[in-house]
Amino acid sequence: MAAANPAIDHDAHDDHDHKPEGFLHRWLFTTNHKDIGTLYLVFSLLMFFIGGSMAMVIRAELFKPGMQLVQPEFFNEMTTMHALIMIFGAVMPAFVGLGNWMIPLMIGAPDMALPRMNNWSFWILPFAFFLLISEIFMPGGGPQGGWTMYPPLSLEGGTNVAFMIFAVHLMGISSIMGAINIIATILNMRAPGMDLLKMPVFVWSWLITAFLLIAVMPVLAGAVTMLLTDKFFGTSFFNAAGGGDPVMFQHIFWFFGHPEVYIMILPAFGIVSEIIPTFSRKPIFGYQAMVYAIASIAFLSFIVWAHHMFSVGMPLGGELYFMYATMLIAIPTGVKVFNWVSTMWGGSMTFETPMLFAIAFVILFTIGGFSGVMCAIVPADFQYQDTYFVVAHFHYVLVTGAIFAIMASTYYWLPKWCGNMYSEKWGKIHFWSSVISVNVLFFPQHFLGLAGMPRRIPDYNVAFADFNMISSIGGFWFGASQLIFVGVVIHAVYFSKNRATTQVWEGAHGLEWTVPSPAPHHTFTVPPVIRDDVLAHGDVTH
Amino acid sequence: MAQTQGAYYVPHGSHWPIIGSFGLLGTVGGAGLWLNEADIGKPIMAVGIALLLFMMFGWFGTVIRESIGGKYNKQVDTSFRMGMIWFIFSEVMFFAAFFGALFYARTYSVPWLGGAGHGALTNHYLWPAFSAAWPTNGPAGVGGAFSTMSPWGIPLLNTLLLLSSGVTITIAHHALRAGNRKQLLVFLALTVVLGVIFLGFQAHEYAEAYGHLNLTLGSGVYGSTFFMLTGFHGMHVTLGAIMLTVIWFRCAKGHFTKDNHFGFEAVAWYWHFVDVVWLGLFLFVYVL
Amino acid sequence: NPQPWQLNMAPGATSISQRIHGVHMLAFWVCVAIGIVVFGAMIVAMVRFRKSKGAVAAKWTHNTTMEVIWTVVPIVILVVMAWPATKLLVDMAEAKGSDMTIKITGYQWKWRYEYVDYFKKASSVNFVSSLDADSNKARQLGSGIDPHSIKDGDFPSYLLNVDKPLVLPVGVKVRFVITADDVIHAWWVPSLGWKQDAIPGIINDNWTQIDQPGIYRGQCAELCGKDHGFMPIVVKAVPKAEFEQWLAGQEAAEAAEKAGATAQATPAPASQG
Ligand code: HEA
Ligand code: HEA
Ligand code: CUA
Ligand SMILES: [Cu+2]
């Protein structure tokens, strides 16, 4: 909660709104989208550090062959928790926080559509993660079956099974309510003139992401509920002896799981689609194509799930279908990449930190996408599956994809949130340190995977030693680099003397740049009048 | 404390969500402890549920007061409507997971275990005595032999009950819009009664299944899907009936007007949703 | 078998694994090519269109020709990649015509191999294969043993060696039927080109035909609990004649053991080799 921002408090004086007095009162009871957005973002940062620390344990144990630090059980626990915390605790809440902060500002709404529920969506999360993380201290430790929770293994856990499942339920409730709120806000709260096809791409990306969330989080809830009853109430969903099938869980899980990975990337696409035009000083290339591409990706995400299960022994027809369907995703994604490049082409670019992160995003995400397409090719995936090649794939799309986009957006919007500019110098240091180390961290993992190193193992043959050591060094370096990020943010919020202007960035367009920096506690209490030149989204004719 | 923001009502601060969060934590934390055989589980869960109920009373009470106080304009109403619609959609997807399990078991896993397709090997090496059929409790006969419920007895009756409850609530809705209070109250009450009878039959059916048919949650994949689907549906009917009851009292108090009765409609939508799920259940769980 | 500083997938020891390697390389080079075009364009843009160099932003936001091109060309590229993959997959699915069947069962944390039949002749050979003792000692937390010191012949075999390898004949089409007893495992030897999940209660099948005698190492490839990292697989491919000799020897040993066991009227334990 450190980001409680004195600058905003100052503003309250000339901002005749009834901001609640008192720290607890303000943050526990708040219904203000900006406060809730801040809560989400701070929570997410905290979780990123906790999940990251677990990754550091993983990397430390894998630093060299031989078991040095932890027992294998604990290693598996770290892997599982790392993934759950990063996905549900860091990336998703960060996006919800950004959505909370920016969507009302971008569409000219006074707040989110359902402000009290908005508060609840957030305040469920700390409790969910309290439940999840406290498992580490329970007898038998936390879950050790991987974030994918495949039975029968995941049911072998002790105390943790029930708590993990309930924690997932809580996260689901939180996400669903958050998503409902976002959809209602976007569909119902737009200022007059903000037509759907004039909304910023970020808003579009969130509209579609919210739909994905509502469609798949309940499926995950159903899947883990069946785990629960299989464990405690004698059902046989995932037990062949009773006529069920362990593979059934995988189908249901990935029906959730694949859309889930796009839930973690579509808002990132939206963010990058805001930042690149701003710093290229040129409107986004092919606005409508961008929107339709997001929609196509979302649609396709529902029909490709079994590409995570190529080696479970599906019939030939199934393998072929899921291969083709998965490969198709490269096309709308390619459209997005090409449009970003075209936006830059012919622009007048400057390279502030947000832009650097956005450019790194485009390049590194594309590399992750390439390895994704390679994974989609079934015969090759027989070799890649469950190796570090896959680990490299998804960290490229998640870390240099989702996380980089979140960092880019933080630099981009921070001046609007707190009214001060961050230190450009330290921002750039953070960027270069991160972008180099993250490649040292994850690129060698491709080699490891191709050479045959399975994932989720605490120890390995000596042939894998060199690249693992390099990867670990990259890991520690990347982790340490994130301390710079925290420094930059704290400095900007509390110490920076460099006041931000209303517009903040020279090339910025859109409603969010018409409110003062920092954005007052309440904005657009009267719907704004929208002029085409501030709108600048969609195919506006100039 | 609360104030109107321009046209759209934005409440200022609420303590209900955080109470709800404690309630949720208590409920699931308690349930988790209970499942792990810790004595303290049940009381914690009870406290959690109590907190949740308290939260709901308080929260909905506030909303009702604000609504009657005329704080909500059309746009707020639309937000509520969208909220409800998407909530129901999420519920649909929750049921979809269980229906998915049912379809998967019936079209893939059971035939496979019985030797269909490549599954011939599975059957040959692991379950040689098993031939696929539905209903089944699997090659190992998990839960012991059982018999199934005929769809044409209680389940058919229940279908008719729920269908007519769908009609009665629609009549009640029309009455509300026509300003016919008496008809509204009667038909709404009727809807609740139909729902409760449905639940009564369902309970009877469960007793029958456990007591005489040896059909239990543990009866292999058939028992699992049967009880999970009907059980979750029953829970939703219960919830719907409670909501209908609340709405009945609100109608009796005259909370709703001809053109401002979102609360009523939300519950009516919910009830229809429960109704439609049942039709799916009747078809796929009982008949086919 | 993994080599230090190995960068790429090895072609493997069967024609299937070599074709997989081919599909993999095709996909790799396609990605490299696209990468060069896309990242090249980005770099050119970043150099040419900098504000500091006085670039003025253009106003255009569309170019239908280009948009059509970069939708259609990727489709073509995808077809080019999917085509050989499809053919290969169809060939891999063809498990008929095998002359030998092995049943593999995954346990926490070891593998059981049953030689079901060999050229239509049933076999009773059946043993469990688990991590070799040297590795097992060295892999204990704080064992103080240097993993580099664990060797099988010349090969630094730490965690990639077993007490009793699966012996297979060269040039014979072998069919595997794979299952598990407790949780899901996956049987993977990279040199054979595929991995196949071992699922309790379900049988999966796959096949291989090894061209070259040799020792091929792999590992369990599905998280299966605490010792998932410690259930390696070793396949020893030997010429047919040698294999037949070995099989006969095993059968004889098995029979002798059985006889001994019955004599003592104790139930026959699974032979541990
Ligand atoms: C943000 C998250 C994210 C994103 C965006 C993606 C994107 C993609 N993923 Fe990934 N994936 C994960 C997260 C993600 N993935 C995770 C977490 C796992 C592992 C889960 C686990 O097991 O724990 C995983 C695993 C995974 C697998 C299973 C691997 C295995 O276990 O064996 C596969 C297989 O098909 C796959 C495929 C793809 C594809 C085809 C895309 C595509 O969307 C990529 C599309 C993008 C591009 C292709 C680049 C840009 C396009 C162009 C420049 C156009 C031209 C290109 C061509 C014609 C090739 N992913
Ligand atoms: C959004 C999701 C996300 C993110 C951001 C990350 C981030 C990272 N991941 Fe993770 N990861 C997953 C999602 C993610 N991962 C998933 C889904 C899996 C699969 C799990 C499974 O198999 O079930 C996985 C698995 C996984 C593995 C494989 C484990 C295994 O198979 O056994 C590894 C190994 O290297 C790894 C490493 C890392 C590292 C080094 C980072 C780094 O980027 C983290 C950097 C951040 C920090 C380090 C924290 C901040 C800094 C400090 C705390 C300061 C202190 C720092 C130092 C002292 C150096 N991850
Ligand atoms: Cu067996 Cu992993
Ligand atoms: Cu996927």
Side-chain angles (χ1 to χ4, degrees), chain B residues 2-224:
Chain B
Q3 68 170 59
T4 313
Q5 290 289 325
Y8 197 89
Y9 175 78
V10 177
H12 266 201
S14 169
H15 53 288
W16 296 118
I18 191 83
I19 292 177
S21 295
F22 276 105
L24 275 179
L25 179 69
T27 310
V28 300
L33 288 168
W34 179 20
L35 287 175
N36 284 303
E37 270 138 27
D39 293 333
I40 190 150
K42 273 191 216 180
I44 293 184
M45 189 170 159
V47 172
I49 292 175
L51 269 179
L52 275 180
L53 289 176
F54 174 59
M55 181 272 291
M56 282 189 210
F57 272 105
W59 191 328
F60 292 146
T62 312
V63 172
I64 292 169
R65 266 196 309 283
E66 288 169 356
S67 169
I68 295 169
K71 294 239 163 81
Y72 298 159
N73 62 9
K74 267 245 132 45
Q75 204 185 2
V76 177
D77 195 61
T78 310
S79 291
F80 283 144
R81 278 160 200 281
M82 290 183 173
M84 192 65 195
I85 289 170
W86 288 101
F87 167 66
I88 290 177
F89 176 63
S90 79
E91 291 267 45
V92 170
M93 293 309 292
F94 182 69
F95 275 98
F98 296 101
F99 274 109
L102 175 69
F103 297 148
Y104 185 91
R106 295 190 59 168
T107 47
Y108 292 103
S109 64
V110 172
W112 184 270
L113 294 169
H118 282 262
L121 286 168
T122 300
N123 190 261
H124 173 77
Y125 281 101
L126 299 174
W127 315 109
F130 182 67
S131 68
W134 187 263
T136 180
N137 52 0
V142 172
F146 64 90
S147 356
T148 58
M149 208 72 65
S150 158
W152 307 118
I154 290 179
L156 178 65
L157 207 59
N158 265 348
T159 309
L160 297 177
L161 282 172
L162 271 196
L163 282 180
S164 23
S165 79
V167 175
T168 53
I169 195 160
T170 307
I171 298 176
H173 191 190
H174 280 293
L176 173 56
R177 269 197 280 192
N180 187 343
R181 250 173 76 86
K182 198 157 157 242
Q183 199 186 5
L184 163 67
L185 290 178
V186 170
F187 276 88
L188 194 53
L190 212 57
T191 314
V192 179
V193 171
L194 288 170
V196 172
I197 299 178
F198 171 95
L199 286 171
F201 276 134
Q202 180 97 346
H204 174 74
E205 200 191 51
Y206 275 20
E208 181 80 8
Y210 268 82
H212 300 294
L213 304 177
N214 190 32
L215 171 60
T216 73
L217 195 53
S219 296
V221 75
Y222 181 81
S224 309

Side-chain angles (χ1 to χ4, degrees), chain C residues 137-176:
Chain C
K137 215 180 300 152
R139 65 119 174 158
Q140 303 303 328
L141 187 60
S143 69
I145 303 173
D146 179 9
H148 294 269
S149 67
I150 312 287
K151 290 228 159 96
D152 180 27
D154 283 343
F155 182 73
S157 65
Y158 180 57
L159 299 184
L160 286 182
N161 201 10
V162 294
D163 49 3
K164 195 164 179 200
L166 174 68
V167 181
L168 291 180
V170 165
V172 173
K173 185 164 181 179
V174 185
R175 174 195 224 182
F176 299 98

